[in-house]
Amino acid sequence: MATSSGVLPVLKNTRRRVSSWARSDEYATIKLVVGVTLLALVLRLVSLGQRVAHFDEGRVAYWAWHFGDTGSFAYRYIIHGPFIQHVDRWLFAVIGPSDFAMRLPVAVIGGLMPLIALLFRRHLRRTEVVAVALLLAVNPVLLYYSRFMRSDVLVAAFMFAAFGFLVRFYDTRKPRYLYAVAFFMALGFASKENALVYVLTWLGATGLLLAKVLVLPNGFRDAVLFVTDTPSAGEIRDRVVGRVRGDIALVVETVRSFRARHDSPLGVFGIYVGHVALGVVLFAAVSLFFYAPRGAGVAGIQHPPAPPSAGSVGFWEGVTNPALFGEMLQTTVDRVVNQWGEWLNPASEKTLDDYERHLGVFVKAMAYASAPLTAFAGLGYVLDRLGYTAPRHLVPFLFYGGFVSIFGYPLGTDIGAPWIVTHAVVPLAVPAGVALAAVFRWGVESLSTDDETGVAIAAVVFLLLTVLVANVAVTRVYTNTTADSNELVQFAQPDQSVRQALTEMDRVATAHDGGPDVVVYHGESGDAYDDNNAYVEESRDTWDDAWWNLQPTCLEWHNTLPLPWYFAASDANVACENQETALGVRAMQNQPPIVITQVYDSTVPRERLRSAGYTNESYMMRTSGYKNTFTVWTHEEYADNATVE
């Protein structure tokens, strides 16, 4: 008790000082949210380039590099939205291609996401705004995938910002917010196609919200009273009639209120229609900038790539020459319609087992990496519905959107991956912030009344929350980032030990001159050849054939990802080999610095490589499967001077 008596005065004094500062500084909330945002940026930028690139990261990074290397770009839905390719292309030109550079845009935009909480400040208390910002900053799912070069965090941030500006327009009726909505929606659609799902989610949540307002305006209390009173048939009829009359009166009063506030309602409506039309133009302009082809367009990304001057009308040609603008616009629209049509085409082979598997991945990742936020989101919704906090439409709206996402995204995705949890976590952060702030306020109120038990309970809740989040962040975001046991890791992730080989390859490519820097070998053929795992094309006749300009074309390119990204970033000279004898001759005579083979390949001349002066280390290209292990053979002449990170 003595200890408690000594702690409470200190806490009370701290509370008085903080409350005094918050009351005297009208920008206190903004300053706190900015501080949280700076924390979010630091958490995302520290050791950003350490983890080895995932399959998807390597694939998209390669095409961003290809854009910068050739000057040609064309939208392909399989790479997702063009936003990251444009931004990374510019970054690579400034600071060079690297894992840090390719992830930097996602890290920065993910780190700035807590600022979006300020857009809801008319609907949330100051403590709730800060709580929402804090959850967006430290949630482990958002942390991990803000340090991952995929567009899920990008589309989540841009569409959440667009929604926030839509709320600001509702609050203020100022048209400038409509333009912000258009701008951020355009960025969202340029980031990833599932921006469309956000719009559908908003429409669905709006329907549920209207049902709540018109049917259960007082939340759960209406439903509870309706059941507990065991009404008669006449009472049920009277209640329904009364509810309908009340809803009609609500609509009539809303219309009258609008007419009373505006001298010319039709004129005001016309003005807003004009602003919406200009917003659509802004959306189209930003979208055109990102989606329009560059250089030789599609021909420039096919093999062999056409030069940028091959005759395609790209964005800059169209905007600088009015005579070509129509052709550029038509080319862009046709390409977008074609690619979006393919993306929207449902996979006919998808089964209930696929959905259950994808849902299982989603729920597992959410349970292990986002359990506190999910639990607090449910609590925040219940508090709102029961009236323990001031009922606000924003809270159930975003809870509906997040809750539906849990079941909707596994249905719409073709890959069961934990990154889709991002799209549920972001909207759920608002009801979760409401609950977190409520616990904080209850603790403060207990402190003001010397309720030691209440203070202790609130302190324990915050301590447990901090420990849980910190533990997941440390063990899932900053360590074990490629381990199969990590619920946030998707199976196409190479083991972190591959970094050593990649560092050596980069050093060799820089220092070595003359002949291939790397020789990739696979010698199986006939029935033993595995298209899904082999690194080298079986037939030498197809080594120079490819539809897209996937360099080196002799590789089974997608089986080797993310190695092609590292080959490109290191400017490595890569050759292929599929004959055991020929590889032995290369090893004895030409002695390429690095040879890459596969452990399951029975034709690898291991002893000849060792006798030629090669040492070897094996690594996992994926998190599981014996065929996903590859071996890097380094010649002693180069290995002696290698530096290992």
Side-chain angles (χ1 to χ4, degrees):
M1 184 66 68
T3 302
S4 300
S5 301
V7 170
L8 287 182
V10 174
L11 293 176
K12 281 187 173 182
N13 186 45
T14 303
R15 171 184 172 276
R16 281 193 295 269
R17 290 184 178 183
V18 172
S19 297
S20 176
W21 168 70
R23 286 193 299 268
S24 62
D25 189 342
E26 60 179 321
Y27 299 109
T29 303
I30 295 176
K31 290 178 180 178
L32 287 172
V33 172
V34 169
V36 170
T37 303
L38 292 175
L39 171 64
L41 286 169
V42 170
L43 292 174
R44 284 154 177 78
L45 293 176
V46 62
S47 301
L48 181 62
Q50 182 182 26
R51 180 176 50 79
V52 175
H54 180 274
F55 173 104
D56 273 7
E57 289 182 297
R59 181 172 56 123
V60 179
Y62 171 85
W63 284 110
W65 168 87
H66 187 277
F67 184 8
D69 185 62
T70 65
S72 293
F73 161 81
Y75 165 58
R76 288 197 297 146
Y77 82 94
I78 199 67
I79 309 297
H80 294 311
F83 176 88
I84 193 65
Q85 292 184 63
H86 285 281
V87 177
D88 270 353
R89 177 243 184 148
W90 299 326
L91 272 176
F92 292 169
V94 175
I95 63 178
S98 66
D99 288 345
F100 175 86
M102 75 168 178
R103 293 172 184 147
L104 185 59
V106 183
V108 171
I109 292 169
L112 293 176
M113 202 185 301
L115 292 175
I116 300 174
L118 292 171
L119 298 174
F120 307 121
R121 58 187 179 275
R122 282 203 180 180
H123 299 266
L124 301 175
R125 298 172 182 242
R126 290 183 296 177
T127 52
E128 292 171 342
V129 171
V130 176
V132 171
L134 189 61
L135 290 171
L136 292 172
V138 302
N139 177 262
V141 174
L142 297 180
L143 258 181
Y144 189 93
Y145 286 106
S146 291
R147 298 162 56 82
F148 193 106
M149 203 275 268
R150 269 190 67 89
S151 294
D152 290 271
V153 167
L154 296 178
V155 68
F158 290 140
M159 296 305 287
F160 196 46
F163 174 74
F165 281 111
L166 191 62
V167 171
R168 287 296 293 163
F169 170 71
Y170 171 83
D171 294 337
T172 66
R173 305 299 195 272
K174 293 180 179 179
R176 65 172 180 260
Y177 291 116
L178 287 176
Y179 297 105
V181 172
F183 178 73
F184 280 99
M185 282 189 69
L187 293 182
F189 275 82
S191 295
K192 196 177 179 185
E193 294 78 8
N194 69 313
L196 178 63
V197 180
Y198 277 79
V199 177
L200 297 177
T201 301
W202 297 346
L203 294 175
T206 299
L208 292 172
L209 187 62
L210 286 174
K212 179 191 83 69
V213 171
L214 298 176
V215 180
L216 299 174
N218 298 315
F220 293 154
R221 294 180 179 180
D222 288 344
V224 171
L225 289 175
F226 192 83
V227 173
T228 56
D229 282 354
T230 58
S232 64
E235 290 173 326
I236 293 176
R237 183 187 65 251
D238 293 341
R239 290 187 184 186
V240 171
V241 171
R243 180 69 265 149
V244 172
R245 287 177 176 174
D247 293 339
I248 294 173
L250 176 63
V251 173
V252 171
E253 181 59 31
T254 301
V255 173
R256 286 177 177 173
S257 176
F258 179 83
R259 296 181 63 182
R261 293 197 308 270
H262 303 286
D263 295 333
S264 176
L266 288 178
V268 173
F269 180 76
I271 291 173
Y272 281 125
V273 168
H275 285 299
V276 169
L278 290 175
V280 171
V281 171
L282 175 61
F283 176 90
V286 175
S287 299
L288 181 64
F289 173 80
F290 284 106
Y291 279 99
R294 303 296 199 277
V298 174
I301 64 176
Q302 290 177 336
H303 181 76
S309 58
S312 173
V313 178
F315 177 79
W316 296 113
E317 292 84 2
V319 297
T320 57
N321 186 344
L324 297 177
F325 182 82
E327 183 179 348
M328 181 270 292
L329 180 61
Q330 188 62 52
T331 299
T332 304
V333 171
D334 289 346
R335 184 68 183 173
V336 170
V337 170
N338 172 269
Q339 292 296 292
W340 272 74
E342 292 191 26
W343 180 75
L344 289 169
N345 185 32
S348 59
E349 67 274 9
K350 195 163 187 179
T351 65
L352 180 60
D353 289 340
D354 294 328
Y355 174 71
E356 291 177 349
R357 185 170 61 256
H358 296 170
L359 180 62
V361 172
F362 191 110
V363 172
K364 184 178 180 181
M366 199 163 191
Y368 278 91
S370 196
L373 184 146
T374 305
F376 271 88
L379 177 60
Y381 176 73
V382 171
L383 293 177
D384 176 84
R385 293 293 73 224
L386 291 177
Y388 285 107
T389 62
R392 291 150 292 183
H393 296 328
L394 179 70
V395 177
F397 184 97
L398 289 174
F399 179 81
Y400 297 151
F403 182 75
V404 170
S405 296
I406 296 175
F407 302 96
Y409 270 93
L411 181 64
T413 186
D414 59 343
I415 298 176
W419 50 67
I420 58 176
V421 177
T422 298
H423 306 295
V425 165
V426 169
L428 289 178
V430 171
V434 168
L436 187 62
V439 174
F440 175 78
R441 290 196 307 275
W442 293 336
V444 171
E445 291 169 1
S446 298
L447 182 63
S448 63
T449 58
D450 293 329
D451 181 2
E452 296 183 4
T453 301
V455 173
I457 292 174
V460 169
V461 170
F462 278 100
L463 178 62
L464 288 175
L465 180 64
T466 302
V467 170
L468 285 172
V469 172
N471 176 65
V472 175
V474 170
T475 61
R476 300 294 192 273
V477 179
Y478 297 103
T479 62
N480 304 315
T481 56
T482 65
D484 190 41
S485 58
N486 186 344
E487 295 77 17
L488 294 176
V489 175
Q490 203 258 1
F491 73 90
Q493 172 67 57
D495 187 78
Q496 185 59 30
S497 61
V498 177
R499 177 64 69 188
Q500 175 179 334
L502 297 173
T503 301
E504 186 166 327
M505 183 182 69
D506 181 67
R507 179 191 61 79
V508 167
T510 303
H512 183 246
D513 187 19
D517 304 314
V518 179
V519 173
V520 182
Y521 172 80
H522 187 85
E524 300 281 11
S525 61
D527 293 339
Y529 187 80
D530 186 347
D531 284 316
N532 295 320
N533 290 284
Y535 284 1
V536 179
E537 292 273 2
E538 181 180 12
S539 173
R540 300 174 79 92
D541 295 336
T542 64
W543 282 7
D544 291 327
D545 296 337
W547 181 259
W548 303 112
N549 191 33
L550 303 173
Q551 296 292 337
T553 56
C554 58
L555 296 178
E556 288 279 6
W557 201 81
H558 291 90
N559 294 346
T560 64
L561 280 171
L563 290 181
W565 150 243
Y566 289 109
F567 294 154
S570 300
D571 195 22
N573 183 353
V574 181
C576 294
E577 187 55 74
N578 66 349
Q579 295 177 1
E580 180 179 354
T581 302
L583 179 62
V585 171
R586 278 182 182 267
M588 298 300 294
Q589 296 181 4
N590 301 327
Q591 295 183 334
I594 294 175
V595 176
I596 295 177
T597 65
Q598 292 177 269
V599 170
Y600 84 94
D601 183 359
S602 63
T603 71
V604 176
R606 294 174 176 81
E607 292 307 318
R608 293 194 67 180
L609 288 170
R610 292 190 180 98
S611 63
Y614 286 87
T615 58
N616 62 292
E617 290 289 341
S618 295
Y619 308 96
M620 291 289 292
M621 182 64 83
R622 305 287 179 257
T623 60
S624 61
Y626 78 98
K627 287 190 175 183
N628 288 321
T629 305
F630 70 103
T631 302
V632 177
W633 301 80
T634 306
H635 194 273
E636 59 188 5
E637 178 182 345
Y638 301 92
D640 289 343
N641 298 320
T643 56
V644 179
E645 289 186 352

